[in-house]
Amino acid sequence: MTENGGRTTAAAGTGGGARVLVVDDDPHLLKALRITLGAHGYTVDSAGDGAAAVEAASRTAPDVLILDLGLPDMDGVDVLRDVRRWSNLPVLVLSARHGSSDKVGALDAGADDYITKPFGLDELLARLRALLRRVPAPEAAPVVASAAFTVDLAGRRVDRGGSPVRLTPTEWKILEILVTNPSRLVTQQQLLARVWGPGYVKEANYLRVYMAQLRRKLEPDPGKPRHLLTEPGIGYRFVP
């Protein structure tokens, strides 16, 4: 990380509370980015290897991923391919590899942008802001409709066939996460962490029980769901 004119200058704008996952095997760089990005309004998580990166991405649901390619346990491109199986979050590759083939390989694997080391802080912040601008802001408290049921997020109300459906608080939390990410795969780890907490990311049986309850209440044929779908071994998807 370099400085402009011998000093670090703050770029216009802040992170606005966006969550960034930084993946790099250099602990000094991780510490510097945690401090710097935090000072610019970002919430920062970090990982030092590929396995931890994939786990953290599924658990913390970051708004953007900053990814080094030279990781100790696996290539960063493999991390990128793994994440792209279930997430379309913006990915900024930050790497010491300068070759055009490395850049093309990362971009073809699903990276949205690429910066080589050493890099300028202002450029990094500008690239982050650009990536976050591409992510559409969620609608404010919409009513989400499927062919079988509607979900009023503002009123915290679910209707099926014109009649209200009573959900437990846990059922509501799961359904809310799914319907606010239409057609997007939400991993088991993401759901477990957000509904029960980080200590429950391995309790997939919890989700099976509650998803079965939701399908009984909302699907016309719970045994052949049309809207609350399972991606075996990975997670769940709401299809309107």
Side-chain angles (χ1 to χ4, degrees):
M1 184 164 60
T2 61
E3 298 176 345
N4 294 333
R7 61 186 180 86
T8 300
T9 58
T14 66
R19 181 175 290 274
V20 179
L21 173 61
V22 183
V23 181
D24 200 290
D25 64 343
D26 182 345
H28 301 293
L29 180 59
L30 283 181
K31 181 178 180 180
L33 287 177
R34 279 198 300 268
I35 294 171
T36 301
L37 294 177
H40 283 79
Y42 293 94
T43 299
V44 184
D45 300 297
S46 62
D49 58 50
V54 174
E55 190 277 334
S58 66
R59 174 172 49 82
T60 65
D63 296 299
V64 63
L65 169 64
I66 298 177
L67 176 65
D68 182 25
L69 297 183
L71 300 174
D73 58 338
M74 59 195 296
D75 194 275
V77 171
D78 294 325
V79 174
L80 180 53
R81 290 195 180 105
D82 199 343
V83 170
R84 279 289 176 258
R85 291 174 53 218
W86 48 265
S87 177
N88 61 357
L89 84 159
V91 177
L92 172 61
V93 168
L94 186 64
S95 177
R97 300 177 187 175
H98 291 251
S100 60
S101 61
D102 294 309
K103 295 180 182 179
V104 170
L107 293 169
D108 282 345
D112 297 278
D113 204 349
Y114 194 111
I115 298 180
T116 54
K117 299 177 182 177
F119 58 92
L121 175 59
D122 284 352
E123 180 184 7
L124 175 65
L125 292 169
R127 298 284 186 99
L128 281 177
R129 292 195 300 272
L131 287 177
L132 289 168
R133 282 197 298 269
R134 299 177 195 172
V135 180
E139 297 180 30
V143 174
V144 180
S146 73
F149 58 89
T150 60
V151 182
D152 182 349
L153 294 169
R156 297 178 65 88
R157 175 187 173 94
V158 181
D159 289 287
R160 179 184 173 191
S163 299
V165 178
R166 184 175 181 180
L167 300 182
T168 68
T170 299
E171 290 169 348
W172 170 263
K173 289 179 182 178
I174 295 171
L175 183 64
E176 182 181 35
I177 294 168
L178 292 174
V179 301
T180 52
N181 293 276
S183 301
R184 180 180 177 183
L185 178 61
V186 183
T187 68
Q188 295 175 355
Q189 291 88 350
Q190 287 175 322
L191 284 167
L192 288 164
R194 292 178 63 181
V195 176
W196 284 278
Y200 292 82
V201 293
K202 295 184 179 180
E203 303 294 339
N205 57 304
Y206 285 25
L207 285 175
R208 286 191 289 270
V209 170
Y210 280 94
M211 288 301 297
Q213 293 173 186
L214 281 171
R215 287 171 177 149
R216 283 195 295 270
K217 293 181 178 182
L218 301 177
E219 293 278 4
D221 183 352
K224 298 178 180 179
R226 295 173 54 192
H227 306 293
L228 302 174
L229 306 184
T230 300
E231 295 287 345
I234 303 175
Y236 299 90
R237 191 191 310 270
F238 166 68
V239 177

